[in-house]
Amino acid sequence: MTGDTRTPFAENLARFRKGRDLSQEQLAEAADVGIDTVARIEQGTRSSCRPKTLRNLAHALGVTVDALLGAGPGQHSRDVDVLPLRKAITADARIPGLEDFAEACELLPLSDLTTSAHSAWRAYVDGRHNELLHALPAVLTDARRLVRNTHDDQRAGAHRVLSTAYRLGAGIAGRLGLDDLAYTAATRALDAATESDSPEVEAAISLRYLAWTLVRQGRAEEAERVATEAAAVIEPRMLDRDPVRAGVFGNLLFNAATAALSSGSAGRAEDLLAAAHAAAIRSRGDTASEAAIFGPRVAALQRVDLAVRAGDPEQALRIANTVPEVQGGGDVPAFWEAGHRLFLAAAAVELRRDRAALAWLAEAKDLAADWVRYQPLGKITMRKIVDRTTRRRGPEFAELAAHYDVIA
């Protein structure tokens, strides 16, 4: 077989390095990576690398990660090759020909692996999909290798990180519309969770992702059952102030409420959100971690979401006026805030308040530009505005229409 099979990543690394008048050795030293890493990437024999390596190379070359990966400013992540992600999620040493595909045999220390997984999670919540799609296969491979080659506490810790990585695989696969792959990743996350150093909590987190994939597959009744039963197991006691358990419990109830509403039971959905809201009030504020995104503001945002989904836009906007600011010096990820703006825009459009809807759509785009492209609600809302507009609205309007895929 002939021809250049190098990826844009390989070509860009070589191009930027030469453009900076650096040798491979000089780039390796500046990025604190091995010379063989640079050489193999440029040769096309290594197609992915760890999150830290990717960021170090980009920093040493003075470019963004997206530029190094070949992702242009207007590129949609759905145009990125997902085959490496599919291979990484479905790799299985028990099946001949489906074992891990990474070349090196280096064992990454558990602390470094945990940091690597956190970097991948940060890319996920920030909507940096190109970076996540590139780096996650390496995280999965490193975690599986550590599981296979360590014992006792180290192995249990590696299983915990592996569960996290599979959950990220489920999340990004779902965002890309690959629902069956998302389900596979979620079940593998659950398998790894049961072998981890915190099996009860990790299993509950994994079941949350599994419930989410079931909703996406149209299996709402099963999703509600999975989420409510998992929540009953992890529910914190009255005096239990563990923010992780409270967050996982609340997130499971969010999933259950969405599933209940999808099944046509708005009343049950409201009851589930009320229980989640009570847990949020008892929490120490809004927090965002690999385990859960939860707190008083997050719970209130979910109530707005439910009202819009239930077809009550006036109630949604009334609730929105009572949503508290982030509490406890915490953090609500940009994509969650962007989702809130999409629901506000949808409510405003139903009430024919198109100017307010456009402002919220613009805010959502500014908060998480790539993430909002995957959300049908944004496209549906923008299309309604475009269809009923009777005059020219200017270049910013046209830019929003293009961003939400209403026009090519």
Side-chain angles (χ1 to χ4, degrees):
M1 185 174 180
T2 60
D4 189 350
T5 60
R6 293 184 304 163
T7 64
F9 175 45
E11 295 173 351
N12 287 338
L13 185 66
R15 182 180 302 114
F16 291 141
R17 176 182 61 77
K18 294 173 185 177
R20 295 280 190 256
D21 193 28
L22 296 172
S23 66
Q24 289 184 341
E25 291 83 356
Q26 289 172 318
L27 175 58
E29 182 178 357
D32 192 25
V33 302
I35 175 60
D36 62 316
T37 297
V38 175
R40 293 167 74 190
I41 292 173
E42 291 191 4
Q43 292 164 2
T45 59
R46 179 169 180 170
S47 59
S48 65
C49 58
R50 293 166 179 147
K52 181 179 180 181
T53 300
L54 182 62
R55 291 195 309 273
N56 284 0
L57 287 169
H59 179 73
L61 291 167
V63 299
T64 65
V65 168
D66 274 353
L68 185 56
L69 293 175
Q75 184 183 21
H76 196 303
S77 297
R78 67 188 174 202
D79 299 323
V80 176
D81 181 16
V82 297
L83 184 58
L85 176 69
R86 190 181 296 280
K87 287 182 176 180
I89 289 174
T90 59
D92 193 329
R94 300 169 300 177
I95 303 174
L98 287 187
E99 60 276 355
D100 281 327
F101 51 87
E103 307 88 345
C105 294
E106 175 192 3
L107 280 183
L108 203 63
L110 180 58
S111 59
D112 291 352
L113 179 60
T114 301
T115 299
S116 190
H118 180 74
S119 295
W121 175 79
R122 194 72 252 179
Y124 175 71
V125 297
D126 290 346
R128 302 196 306 273
H129 293 154
N130 291 296
E131 181 177 340
L132 178 63
L133 285 167
H134 179 87
L136 187 57
V139 178
L140 282 163
T141 298
D142 282 333
R144 280 193 293 259
R145 184 179 294 123
L146 197 59
V147 163
R148 288 196 300 267
N149 292 280
T150 54
H151 304 281
D152 302 326
D153 291 347
Q154 283 282 307
R155 190 167 188 268
H159 266 119
R160 170 174 39 80
V161 179
L162 180 59
S163 183
T164 298
Y166 274 127
R167 292 195 294 264
L168 292 176
I172 189 61
R175 287 185 185 179
L176 292 166
L178 306 172
D179 294 338
D180 288 341
L181 183 62
Y183 183 85
T184 297
T187 58
R188 292 198 168 194
L190 181 59
D191 290 340
T194 60
E195 301 293 330
S196 75
D197 50 8
S198 183
E200 186 180 64
V201 171
E202 293 299 317
I205 301 169
S206 300
L207 285 168
R208 175 166 63 85
Y209 279 78
L210 185 60
W212 177 70
T213 63
L214 288 171
V215 170
R216 294 186 60 87
Q217 291 179 337
R219 301 162 65 182
E221 292 182 2
E222 294 168 273
E224 183 183 352
R225 192 159 56 246
V226 167
T228 53
E229 291 185 9
V233 172
I234 200 68
E235 180 177 5
R237 305 298 177 257
M238 185 59 68
L239 298 179
D240 185 352
R241 294 290 182 176
D242 182 352
V244 173
R245 292 180 72 91
V248 176
F249 171 73
N251 280 192
L252 281 163
L253 293 185
F254 292 162
N255 290 129
T258 298
L261 190 62
S262 298
S263 298
S265 181
R268 193 161 66 247
E270 290 177 1
D271 290 343
L272 289 163
L273 277 192
H277 186 260
I281 295 301
R282 295 195 301 269
S283 70
R284 298 175 181 174
D286 293 285
T287 59
S289 70
E290 291 92 329
I293 299 169
F294 192 60
R297 178 172 175 82
V298 172
L301 297 185
Q302 286 296 117
R303 293 183 61 218
V304 176
D305 175 335
L306 179 68
V308 174
R309 291 177 185 270
D312 193 344
E314 292 183 347
Q315 173 71 353
L317 294 180
R318 280 196 296 271
I319 295 172
N321 289 327
T322 68
V323 172
E325 295 299 319
V326 175
Q327 297 184 19
D331 175 36
V332 178
F335 84 92
W336 203 291
E337 293 286 2
H340 175 55
R341 270 64 170 189
L342 292 185
F343 279 105
L344 293 178
V349 160
E350 291 304 309
L351 299 173
R352 304 191 75 83
R353 302 176 189 173
D354 290 1
R355 182 175 296 180
L358 285 169
W360 278 316
L361 287 170
E363 285 186 24
K365 170 180 171 292
D366 291 341
L367 283 164
D370 202 18
W371 180 85
V372 298
R373 287 187 171 115
Y374 292 96
Q375 309 309 309
L377 184 60
K379 182 173 183 176
I380 291 169
T381 303
M382 189 69 209
R383 178 177 289 173
K384 288 180 179 179
I385 298 173
V386 170
D387 286 348
R388 69 187 181 208
T389 193
T390 58
R391 58 183 177 81
R392 295 178 61 191
R393 290 184 177 253
E396 291 183 0
F397 181 84
E399 182 183 350
L400 277 179
H403 190 83
Y404 285 98
D405 283 346
V406 174
I407 59 175

